Amino acid sequence: MFRLYYSPLCIYAISITGRQDVSEEIVQELFYTLWKDRERINLFHSVKSYLYNSIRYRSLQYCEHIEVRERHREAVLSGKNGSPIRENPQDLMEYKELEELVDRTLKQLPERRLRIFKMHRFEGMKYAEIASSLSLSIKTVEAEMTKALQTLRKEVEVYIQTK
């Protein structure tokens, strides 16, 4: 199935995303997921239909993600990023406190967890890319990200409750 559909699916994904590297990753991730969840997937249509619909959905999801990131980037560069209004000292102070809390919390994370978090959140790398570059399994990367986010969430909740 992989040999039969890989190239045509890549071409289809490229027609949506416009990027070969991203398209190949989308197709590879689909086949990985398909293999991993093979016992739970119920196909109501043909395999071909399932694969093409999945690639279409994943490619459009990627494009939407890029569009949102670009809008956010433009908003930040233009100064309309939703950060605290500079005229309100209280908001600015709370924003700075929260930013410091997040920085402190991140510094307390174990080294590998912090590195994985930064690679994903600040460098925009996908779990598969991180796993590959650090020679870890994708599940390990997922687990480390989950733990990092739980730690951050807990600290922020404590901060919000004390306000």
Side-chain angles (χ1 to χ4, degrees):
M1 190 167 57
F2 179 83
R3 287 187 195 111
L4 178 64
Y5 289 111
Y6 180 77
S7 293
L9 288 172
C10 284
I11 292 169
Y12 182 57
I14 290 170
S15 73
I16 297 170
T17 65
R19 293 192 51 195
Q20 182 176 352
D21 58 333
V22 170
S23 298
E24 289 174 356
E25 185 174 329
I26 290 171
V27 174
Q28 290 169 7
E29 186 67 29
L30 171 63
F31 277 109
Y32 169 75
T33 304
L34 187 62
W35 179 255
K36 184 178 75 169
D37 298 334
R38 67 188 177 276
E39 294 168 355
R40 289 181 282 173
I41 293 177
N42 295 320
L43 295 178
F44 298 107
H45 302 288
S46 70
V47 171
K48 182 178 180 179
S49 174
Y50 174 82
L51 292 172
Y52 275 91
N53 282 329
S54 295
I55 291 300
R56 182 177 150 271
Y57 172 77
R58 289 166 183 248
S59 297
L60 291 173
Q61 191 176 35
Y62 167 80
C63 291
E64 184 178 316
H65 173 72
I66 293 302
E67 187 177 312
V68 167
R69 284 177 61 184
E70 188 61 30
R71 278 197 315 258
H72 177 71
R73 182 180 168 276
E74 290 298 320
V76 167
L77 292 176
S78 68
K80 301 174 187 172
N81 63 344
S83 63
I85 301 171
R86 305 267 183 236
E87 298 148 12
N88 187 338
Q90 178 68 28
D91 287 346
L92 185 58
M93 187 176 76
E94 287 179 6
Y95 178 79
K96 293 269 188 213
E97 285 178 7
L98 191 55
E99 191 174 45
E100 289 171 6
L101 172 72
V102 169
D103 287 341
R104 275 194 318 269
T105 304
L106 288 177
K107 286 178 184 175
Q108 294 174 359
L109 293 177
E111 185 179 330
R112 181 174 77 175
R113 191 171 299 157
L114 176 61
R115 187 168 182 199
I116 290 169
F117 182 85
K118 285 182 175 180
M119 291 171 87
H120 181 65
R121 293 297 172 132
F122 300 138
E123 298 173 24
M125 294 176 71
K126 296 182 182 270
Y127 288 174
E129 294 172 322
I130 297 168
S132 175
S133 70
L134 298 179
S135 299
L136 300 170
S137 72
I138 293 175
K139 287 293 185 187
T140 301
V141 172
E142 289 174 0
E144 291 292 340
M145 276 300 296
T146 299
K147 290 174 186 174
L149 291 171
Q150 286 173 340
T151 302
L152 274 172
R153 193 174 298 116
K154 186 177 86 176
E155 292 298 320
V156 170
E157 284 175 359
V158 168
Y159 171 79
I160 289 172
Q161 290 173 356
T162 61
K163 284 290 172 185

